[in-house]
Amino acid sequence: RLLCSSTSQGTVQSPQHTHEPHPLSKQTVTELSLPSLVDMGFTDSQAEHIYDATSKLRGTSASKHSLSTLTVMFVLGLKPSSVLTILEKCPELYTINELHLHQRIGNMRKLGLVEGSLQRVVSHFPQILTVPVKTVKHMVLFLKEKCQFTSQQVTDILRDSPAVILEDKEQLEYKFQYVYYRMGVKQADMVKSRLFRYTLEEVRCRHCFLERRGLYQTPDKKGQTMIINSKLDSILKFDLDTFLTDVAKGSAEEYEVFQRLMAREWQEEEEQLHGSIEA
Amino acid sequence: EKWAATRIKHPATGLALQNFDSTYSVQLGPLWLSVRAALLSERKYGALLNNYGHDDVQAELQAKGCKDFPSDIETEAQPCLEQEPEVAGEEESSRVSVNKSDLDAQQLPALQLSPNIKCLVFPRGDITRFKPARPDMFGCLGYYLMDAASVLPCLALNVQEGHNVLDLCAAPGGKTLALLQTKSIGFFGVNDASVSRTTRLRKVLHSYVPKPLLSDEKLRITTFDGTKWGEFEKNTFDRVLVDVPCTTDRHSLMEDDNNIFSKNRTGERRRLPQLQLDLLLAGIEAACPGGEILYSTCTLSQIQNLSVVEQAIHTAREDHGIQLQVVDLRPLTHMFRKTFDFAPDLPLGEMVVPHLAANFGPIYMCKLRRLT
Ligand SMILES: C[S@@+](CC[C@H](N)C(=O)[O-])C[C@H]1O[C@@H](n2cnc3c(N)ncnc32)[C@H](O)[C@@H]1O
């Protein structure tokens, strides 16, 4: 208890402490200093950014993680400028235990994210390093078992849409089922079109828009349709204007109103479902 | 399994969609995509204002952002309106303009619309819904919710002071009520072949119109077969509304109950164009020479719209010796283009086509004038 109160004083109070080397910091070699940051290859202003960002941590037990985090990043082969961007996107990384970092990175390698992809994933979605190995494993299992993706497909999903790791499983399952059953799209096409980058609302709204225009049909049991459906890829990948002119052949005015109508429709459906469960 | 269930579980609505896909994609071309999406999405309503109510409902609704569409017309439309009939007359002899032949009428605006009909709508793109109307202190309802496009045939009918008017297929009474708002009808014949639907119509009238105005000498509600009208009331009415039963496209896509596309109603559906023709011919006979007839449907189908009118004009001339003139409604579509989307270049009559941002209709209408 005593320890607790003294650390909180050190972190919250007296900002002047943060600018001068804290007495405690001298005792540990793991504290960051401006010169040491410059030594690592950061420019002066980058070093200052990081120094400021970690100032609140200084003197706490978390402070030693900052240095190990930077080390891990450099070991991954990331440039100082990328490291800074990553840390700005996800400051939480400063406080992560080195062991955990190693475990998480090791796990991603095991999942098939080899050099190149690994760096890309960390750069685009640094939050992935804050996720416990157990959570990642659960999600991988879920993708394999509930959604029947192959190991390679799971690797591709993690590489292209790592944020999937943090998604709500129920929502994810719903999105998968929607695309699988309602749109009749197979796993390989889902991976190819980077489905998990898009929200359920986006996917559903574009699909329903096409469907109501008569440009998309749910395949029958034999997988057949009366019309040729657009590929999921071309439904998702274009910006709205291109989607409207090339795929849906509709106007922005129509789509804008349609989105609002759908939002209301779905909200009411949900409310009804909710109501009937409660009743 | 729940996913399979959302697929065509409703056979009749599915059959309707199949039917429309094959006929309307040909008839409307690429426009069908847009109309289809609108038909399958939530429709918009209009609030037909009840002039017999006591609350200031109009102000209330306007405060919420509604506008009275019949008076919400583009001002720059006015000069066009006066020119258009002439242009129309030169272009096409079958589309004779309203005032072309009549020297007296030439001083009047090109197209007269029934006065006092007010219908409030939320602007284009606004998807706000109306609340159900509440009764005022006398138990009278302030507005009637209906497809705003259904008000157009009533406006186009152009009822004048003291006119005898016949509403041949009137139930459940939306258009009847709109016509009553003009407060200028002399005698009003209101008919519908269906007893149960006429009961509904009576209820509607009683919740909107004060009793004295529904007295026998002003209003007569009947449940006859409209096709036989010519046999007992010929050459009588100044204005006749013939709002025929049709495939009710929007309803047929959304509701399985009572769906005209269900297998057991195939015969009835096939007979619709003949029934429509018979009703229109009866309406034509019921009108007096010089009188005007308005034919309307809520389908996009050419066979139930244009073809019926064409056939009726022909048969009226050949079999009944009645000459008819088609009244150009283009001034009307021009006036209300802010509120509705109209089908472009229809050879006969005008049609409101549903659009997601203005999700009214479909309503087809064609106005005829009896010359003899
Ligand atoms: C489109 S609805 C009329 C809607 C009505 N005008 C309104 O605005 O509320 C067509 C009506 O025609 C009626 N009908 C069908 N066959 C008829 C006939 N032979 N004679 C008269 N009415 C008929 C139906 O009962 C139905 O109510």
Side-chain angles (χ1 to χ4, degrees):
Chain A
R1 193 160 165 254
L2 197 79
L3 193 78
C4 258
S5 59
S6 72
T7 27
S8 71
Q9 263 174 23
T11 53
V12 181
Q13 285 186 342
S14 49
Q16 70 270 23
H17 279 209
T18 60
H19 290 291
E20 288 162 37
H22 194 274
L24 268 177
S25 68
K26 284 179 182 158
Q27 295 166 0
T28 55
V29 283
T30 50
E31 281 287 308
L32 287 174
S33 67
L34 275 172
S36 66
L37 286 167
V38 174
D39 285 345
M40 288 177 200
F42 290 108
T43 65
D44 286 348
S45 74
Q46 288 172 342
E48 255 166 64
H49 260 108
I50 294 182
Y51 192 76
D52 285 352
T54 56
S55 62
K56 280 209 188 76
L57 301 171
R58 224 152 290 135
T60 70
S61 60
S63 72
K64 65 170 188 288
H65 300 314
S66 308
L67 183 64
S68 58
T69 298
L70 290 173
T71 314
V72 171
M73 297 282 161
F74 284 119
V75 171
L76 270 180
L78 294 161
K79 287 181 305 192
S81 60
S82 323
V83 172
L84 179 64
T85 321
I86 288 169
L87 288 166
E88 275 178 342
K89 261 199 219 168
C90 183
E92 213 188 320
L93 287 182
Y94 285 120
T95 61
I96 289 182
N97 178 313
E98 185 174 2
L99 180 65
H100 288 160
L101 272 183
H102 283 302
Q103 284 172 343
R104 288 166 196 178
I105 289 173
N107 185 49
M108 290 197 327
R109 287 211 166 94
K110 237 188 280 167
L111 289 170
L113 292 171
V114 288
E115 303 314 312
S117 328
L118 186 56
Q119 285 76 354
R120 256 197 28 226
V121 167
V122 172
S123 305
H124 281 113
F125 189 67
Q127 290 85 344
I128 195 146
L129 294 177
T130 66
V131 183
V133 169
K134 211 169 99 189
T135 311
V136 176
K137 283 188 168 157
H138 276 155
M139 188 52 92
V140 169
L141 211 65
F142 170 84
L143 289 170
K144 284 185 181 169
E145 288 184 349
K146 281 265 179 172
C147 312
Q148 303 276 302
F149 286 107
T150 65
S151 299
Q152 182 56 50
Q153 286 171 339
V154 171
T155 308
D156 293 346
I157 291 171
L158 290 179
R159 189 195 54 223
D160 295 331
S161 6
V164 80
I165 288 299
L166 289 180
E167 263 191 61
D168 175 61
K169 284 214 186 61
E170 239 172 73
Q171 280 286 310
L172 206 63
E173 183 170 12
Y174 187 89
K175 193 199 288 184
F176 170 80
Q177 293 190 340
Y178 184 87
V179 176
Y180 189 83
Y181 293 106
R182 193 79 162 70
M183 299 181 70
V185 176
K186 297 282 173 281
Q187 284 85 349
D189 280 329
M190 295 187 202
V191 175
K192 199 173 149 235
S193 60
R194 299 170 160 85
L195 166 69
F196 296 108
R197 281 195 188 177
Y198 306 90
T199 64
L200 172 66
E201 280 67 33
E202 286 171 304
V203 176
R204 201 161 47 166
C205 202
R206 285 194 179 190
H207 165 248
C208 285
F209 192 60
L210 291 176
E211 183 174 63
R212 292 201 188 171
R213 297 175 78 77
L215 298 174
Y216 202 102
Q217 261 176 18
T218 305
D220 63 13
K221 285 202 183 89
K222 291 179 197 143
Q224 290 170 332
T225 51
M226 313 258 282
I227 53 168
I228 300 167
N229 285 336
S230 297
K231 286 262 178 249
L232 183 62
D233 190 40
S234 53
I235 296 174
L236 297 180
K237 76 175 170 200
F238 297 121
D239 61 49
L240 189 58
D241 282 348
T242 316
F243 167 73
L244 288 174
T245 43
D246 290 5
V247 185
K249 299 167 178 73
S251 70
E253 184 193 35
E254 285 177 285
Y255 193 72
E256 195 272 322
V257 176
F258 188 71
Q259 269 179 310
R260 280 187 280 130
L261 282 172
M262 287 292 101
R264 184 164 74 186
E265 223 172 84
W266 292 326
Q267 190 196 331
E268 284 172 352
E269 254 170 43
E270 215 129 280
E271 278 163 16
Q272 255 188 4
L273 231 81
H274 207 69
S276 62
I277 289 167
E278 274 175 6
Chain B
E1 209 170 284
K2 72 175 174 183
W3 301 97
T6 55
R7 291 187 52 215
I8 309 164
K9 170 178 127 192
H10 311 297
T13 46
L15 290 173
L17 189 55
Q18 269 176 29
N19 180 294
F20 296 163
D21 269 334
S22 54
T23 48
Y24 298 156
S25 58
V26 176
Q27 193 186 306
L28 297 173
L31 183 61
W32 169 236
L33 300 185
S34 160
V35 174
R36 189 187 196 271
L39 280 175
L40 291 169
S41 302
E42 189 177 322
R43 68 188 305 175
K44 276 182 88 160
Y45 283 90
L48 174 74
L49 212 71
N50 186 15
N51 295 329
Y52 303 102
H54 301 86
D55 296 338
D56 194 354
V57 180
Q58 184 167 6
E60 243 172 74
L61 291 175
Q62 276 167 347
K64 291 183 181 155
C66 291
K67 285 204 169 126
D68 171 38
F69 89 77
S71 56
D72 184 28
I73 54 173
E74 298 179 32
T75 38
E76 46 104 22
Q78 292 310 113
C80 282
L81 282 183
E82 273 148 23
Q83 284 160 15
E84 245 183 88
E86 282 161 34
V87 178
E90 281 162 16
E91 270 176 356
E92 228 178 290
S93 56
S94 70
R95 294 181 65 118
V96 187
S97 71
V98 191
N99 305 313
K100 203 56 191 163
S101 53
D102 190 342
L103 206 117
D104 227 31
Q106 243 161 27
Q107 277 98 41
L108 298 168
L111 186 78
Q112 288 195 341
L113 302 176
S114 296
N116 300 330
I117 299 179
K118 295 197 179 104
C119 180
L120 286 106
V121 292
F122 285 99
R124 195 177 173 86
D126 190 330
I127 59 167
T128 315
R129 293 172 182 148
F130 288 102
K131 294 202 174 66
R134 278 189 319 255
D136 63 19
M137 56 188 297
F138 301 96
C140 193
L141 292 169
Y143 54 83
Y144 181 83
L145 293 180
M146 63 193 285
D147 189 332
S150 293
V151 174
L152 291 175
C154 307
L155 286 166
L157 196 58
N158 183 26
V159 174
Q160 310 265 299
E161 194 56 45
H163 269 166
N164 292 332
V165 180
L166 172 65
D167 188 351
L168 196 59
C169 310
K175 297 189 188 70
T176 313
L177 195 57
L179 291 170
L180 280 168
Q181 300 307 316
T182 62
K183 296 187 174 172
S184 35
I185 297 179
F187 174 78
F188 198 1
V190 178
N191 179 68
D192 196 283
S194 155
V195 177
S196 62
R197 286 172 67 92
T198 311
T199 309
R200 262 177 75 194
L201 175 133
R202 260 180 228 279
K203 277 204 191 112
V204 169
L205 296 188
H206 283 286
S207 4
Y208 287 87
V209 187
K211 270 220 172 74
L213 293 162
L214 302 172
S215 66
D216 288 349
E217 64 274 19
K218 302 216 95 206
L219 186 109
R220 178 192 68 196
I221 299 176
T222 50
T223 46
F224 298 153
D225 175 359
T227 61
K228 306 271 158 52
W229 214 268
E231 287 170 22
F232 82 99
E233 218 170 35
K234 269 193 178 134
N235 308 337
T236 308
F237 294 95
D238 303 288
R239 297 290 184 262
V240 181
L241 178 62
V242 187
D243 187 38
V244 295
C246 66
T247 45
T248 54
D249 295 359
R250 202 184 272 275
H251 179 268
S252 298
L253 282 179
M254 301 312 254
E255 305 275 337
D256 259 320
D257 283 355
N258 198 23
N259 193 310
I260 187 90
F261 285 88
S262 58
K263 281 261 157 40
N264 58 356
R265 292 183 71 185
T266 308
E268 187 188 340
R269 181 160 55 84
R270 298 233 166 95
R271 284 191 298 274
L272 274 178
Q274 185 61 48
L275 173 61
Q276 291 158 343
L277 175 64
D278 292 344
L279 284 166
L280 178 51
L281 281 169
I284 290 168
E285 283 191 276
C288 56
E292 294 179 344
I293 302 101
L294 202 131
Y295 177 77
S296 63
T297 74
C298 53
T299 174
L300 297 161
S301 157
Q302 222 157 27
I303 297 169
Q304 299 174 64
N305 295 336
L306 302 190
S307 308
V308 169
V309 175
E310 262 171 11
Q311 185 63 43
I313 294 172
H314 182 260
T315 310
R317 188 175 55 224
E318 300 300 311
D319 296 3
H320 305 279
I322 298 174
Q323 294 287 337
L324 292 159
Q325 180 187 43
V326 178
V327 179
D328 191 351
L329 291 178
R330 271 183 296 179
L332 174 134
T333 64
H334 191 82
M335 227 190 269
F336 298 131
R337 66 187 195 276
K338 215 167 147 181
T339 308
F340 305 103
D341 276 23
F342 292 94
D345 311 318
L346 238 54
L348 194 60
E350 298 294 346
M351 184 160 72
V352 175
V353 290
H355 184 281
L356 278 164
N359 208 348
F360 303 110
I363 290 290
Y364 172 83
M365 58 193 157
C366 186
K367 187 170 175 172
L368 303 170
R369 171 177 306 128
R370 258 186 82 159
L371 297 176
T372 58

